[in-house]
Structure formats: C-alpha cells, structure tokens
Amino acid sequence: MSVPEIPISQVRIGDGAERLVLEVLRSGHLVQGPMVARLEEAFKEACGTRHAVAVNSGTTAIVAALTALDLGPGDEVITSPFTFAATLNAILEVGATARFVDIDARDYTIDPTALEAAVSERTKAIIPVHLYGQPAAMDDILRIGAKHRVHIVEDAAQALGARVGDRAVGSFGVGCFSLYATKNVTTGEGGVVTTDDDEVADRIRLLRNQGMRARYEYVTPGHNWRLTDLQAAIGIPQMEALASISDARRRNADLLDAGLCDIPGIQVPWRAPGRTHVFHQYTILVHPQTGLSRDELAARLSDEGIATGIYYPRLVHDYECYRDRADVEVDVTPHATRAASQVLSLPVHPGIDADHIERVTQVVRQIVRQ
Ligand SMILES: *Cc1c(COP(=O)(O)O)cnc(C)c1O
C-alpha cells in the first residue's frame, strides 16, 4: 500500500515536545512525575475543572470514571451505539449493563428524546459521546441526568477543546479524554479524567497507583493506570497550542463546507447552534442521490491519493462477540444504522492546507458528477 498524498490524520510533534522529551530522558525520571502534573494542570485549565487525572489511555479513563462512581453489576449505562468499541468495553469491564439508544440524525450524538424515553430505575449513568468533536446536546442531557439522578460520564475522547456555550466538554460530570495518536492532542497513548468531584478524583488517583495513598500504604485494591513523564512531555506543548489546533481544524472545515455544500447528495456536517465543534473528524453523509455508495466514493478518493475514514462502519454492538449477551441491551436505532452506512470522513487535520482542500473538494465534485 502506498502512502496517500493526503492522509486522514497526521502526528505533528514540534521542537517544544522534542526539548521536553529530551529533558525527561536526561533527568532519568521516566515514570509519572512532574511532566504528568504539568499535563494535568493544562487539562484543568482547558476544561475549567477542579481536577484532571492522567491515566494510560482513553479507555482506562472511562473504566476509571465508572469504577470511581461505583458502577457495577445490575447498573445500567445508557450510551450511543455510534461510537468506538472503547465506550462499550469500558461499561462491560466494570460489570455494568450497556443500553443503546438512537442518535440525532443531524449531529450523530445521543438523541435526548430517545435517551429520556429509555431512562429507568436501573439507569445509573449516561455516557454522551461527543462524536467527531461535536459536543452532544448537553443542556438536555444535564436536565435528564438531574431529573433522574444519574451520573454523566462524557466520552470526550474526540472533543478536547469543544464547548457548549462557555462551558468546555469534560466539565459536565466526569470527562474522559484520549491522547491516542490520531486524537487532536496526542501522547501516543494516554488518557485524562476531568471532574469537579473531589472524591471521584481522589479515588481515581488511588486506583491508578495500586490503591496506594502513601508508599506501601494500600487503602483499596488498585491498578497500574499511570501515564509516564515521557508521554506527558509530548502532550504539554500541544496543550499550549490547543486553541490554534482547534482553530486550524475549524478553518479547514469551513473551506471543506464551502467546496462541498452545493454538491447534490453530499451533506456537510451540521454545526449545532451554541456548540463549538473542534472537528476531530470532518464527516459527510453520502446520500443515494449521488448515484454512489459511500464505499464507492471512498474507493475512488483512495485511487486519487485522498485518504478517508469510516467512523464507524457498523454499530458498536453489531459484532458476534456482543450478541446475545444479557449485559448488552439494544433499542431500535434507525438514525445510527443509516449513519453507519453513509458517513465518510475527509481529511481536516492541521497538516493539510487550502490547496489540499481544494483538491479534495474538486475530486469529490468530479466523482459525483460522473
Ligand atoms: C479514541 C476513543 C476512545 C478510547 O481511547 P484510547 O485512548 O484509544 O483508549 C474512546 N472513545 C472514543 C469515542 C474514541 O474515539
């Protein structure tokens, strides 16, 4: 396979990260230490929360959040079926039951009406997924959460820096972020939990370090969920540049919108009023009206050296390993089902410029015209 001319994501590590990583290497202190603390400070600032606790992946962040909230067998967690496997796996890992409700057809995040209809006595938490960098409908979700006294755990893996009004994602309950290589800010692997809840933050700090309060003073059975200073050093300069990273993605999205919005059958991303999208992905819908399937369009773009992504080709629970499980409950989700067959993500990352975008939009136009 040749490398596409225009990739779907690109890791960009600057001089600042190189210097900090070298500093860590020379210090001899490679494990969790002052760099992790600095990264956590940056997350507190970005999210406006009292606490940020770094862990070793976004998946761990969700597991840690659910564990700290005492979720387990018999507890139901409602989420979107249009998400990455980590959301579901984290629910199953703590022994809770996953329940899936439909998404909103326009923003691809959990539909508050479907959510409200599904909440029951057994529901202990809701996990909205801020998909593609667009915040879920948090005003409605907060109202539903408060009314039914259920926890809000945000899967904000794709949405660092996104806001609802003035409020950053990750500040609505317990926020879970990923620092995986393709995410808007990366440390290779890594994750962060953000919260205003002192107790939740304290429990996660304990759990990530074998349940140890002071050296060899174990207060709970724990894990090794620690991030390393080497990893944190990679992320710190990106956190300092977060506003410009998000602006670059939004600018690219604006250019893509302008070049694609009048192509019949191509639906550009919806930007929900009052919510600030950070365009982790720029995702179009390919309607049958184009005369092409989504997969055909993806193949034709690939032939032209333009990489695309399909997030996600199937609903998260639609795999043999999740079928017929008592801890996976599935509602009818027509919007999510349709999205899975029609979404296509185009390159939007800060590694591409206006010329690349011009080429992407021209090629899409040509293919759809033929
Ligand atoms: C990336 C991602 C995760 C998990 O993050 P990892 O760091 O890969 O464990 C969880 N949820 C969503 C929606 C993601 O995109």
Side-chain angles (χ1 to χ4, degrees):
M1 280 271 289
S2 60
V3 179
E5 186 190 330
I6 307 181
I8 187 71
S9 71
Q10 193 180 68
V11 175
R12 287 155 62 88
I13 303 297
D15 297 345
E18 287 184 14
R19 272 195 301 276
L20 280 187
V21 169
L22 198 58
E23 196 181 303
V24 175
L25 284 174
R26 287 177 177 159
S27 76
H29 188 99
L30 308 187
V31 298
Q32 182 186 302
M35 292 293 176
V36 169
R38 274 177 68 179
L39 185 72
E40 290 175 338
E41 283 303 312
F43 265 83
K44 278 165 60 178
E45 189 160 325
C47 297
T49 53
R50 286 168 54 81
H51 304 281
V53 186
V55 292
N56 54 17
S57 77
T59 309
T60 300
I62 307 172
V63 170
L66 297 176
T67 306
L69 293 170
D70 255 333
L71 270 96
D75 299 332
E76 184 183 89
V77 179
I78 301 182
T79 192
S80 161
F82 199 46
T83 184
F84 182 54
T87 322
L88 170 53
N89 287 339
I91 296 168
L92 299 182
E93 175 146 344
V94 301
T97 296
R99 169 118 188 235
F100 295 99
V101 302
D102 208 0
I103 57 171
D104 181 287
R106 291 175 302 176
D107 72 8
Y108 310 112
T109 69
I110 198 163
D111 174 9
T113 307
L115 170 63
E116 182 134 43
V119 174
S120 73
E121 307 253 282
R122 285 177 303 151
T123 311
K124 294 291 157 24
I126 301 164
I127 308 187
V129 181
H130 305 307
L131 199 72
Y132 308 143
Q134 166 116 286
M138 293 313 297
D139 294 342
D140 289 327
I141 294 167
L142 283 183
R143 179 183 51 75
I144 295 164
K147 182 170 157 198
H148 298 274
R149 297 173 173 282
V150 298
H151 297 293
I152 308 289
V153 175
E154 301 172 70
D155 183 336
Q158 302 186 1
L160 175 60
R163 290 188 307 280
V164 180
D166 310 333
R167 227 171 132 178
V169 303
S171 70
F172 293 97
V174 185
C176 303
F177 293 91
S178 167
L179 298 168
Y180 181 67
T182 56
K183 301 288 153 77
N184 289 18
V185 166
T186 180
T187 59
E189 298 276 6
V192 177
V193 183
T194 52
T195 185
D196 284 330
D197 188 321
D198 298 345
E199 226 169 283
V200 165
D202 183 62
R203 285 197 71 185
I204 296 174
R205 285 197 189 97
L206 281 175
L207 289 169
R208 81 171 159 185
N209 195 25
Q210 309 292 358
M212 212 158 50
R213 170 109 24 226
R215 198 157 190 76
Y216 304 131
E217 227 184 79
Y218 303 103
V219 297
T220 180
H223 308 261
N224 176 355
W225 286 341
R226 294 181 306 264
L227 190 72
T228 66
D229 262 19
L230 271 172
Q231 292 167 303
I234 301 170
I236 290 164
Q238 294 171 68
M239 289 304 291
E240 287 164 0
L242 180 60
S244 70
I245 290 171
S246 302
D247 284 347
R249 287 177 174 273
R250 269 194 298 270
R251 254 195 324 274
N252 285 346
D254 289 342
L255 293 172
L256 285 160
D257 277 353
L260 297 170
C261 66
D262 63 342
I263 304 178
I266 298 292
Q267 184 180 318
V268 300
W270 186 59
R271 299 163 189 225
R275 300 186 230 162
T276 313
H277 199 316
V278 291
F279 287 98
H280 172 61
Q281 299 294 346
Y282 181 94
T283 304
I284 59 171
L285 260 182
V286 185
H287 289 283
Q289 188 188 352
T290 55
L292 287 163
S293 72
R294 179 266 315 278
D295 294 340
E296 283 164 344
L297 179 56
R300 299 281 297 280
L301 285 165
S302 170
D303 292 343
E304 298 288 335
I306 299 166
T308 58
I310 298 171
Y311 312 104
Y312 295 91
R314 284 160 77 166
L315 302 186
V316 70
H317 53 73
D318 185 23
Y319 293 85
E320 202 51 46
C321 61
Y322 298 120
R323 260 191 271 286
D324 304 320
R325 289 182 60 132
D327 52 3
V328 177
E329 290 177 14
V330 180
D331 291 14
V332 179
T333 59
H335 294 150
T337 301
R338 187 185 75 145
S341 69
Q342 296 187 342
V343 290
L344 185 67
S345 298
L346 303 176
V348 72
H349 53 87
I352 58 171
D353 60 22
D355 291 341
H356 291 120
I357 292 169
E358 174 74 16
R359 176 153 160 73
V360 170
T361 60
Q362 287 303 330
V363 172
V364 171
R365 190 174 296 276
Q366 267 165 28
I367 294 170
V368 172
R369 274 235 187 89
Q370 279 164 7

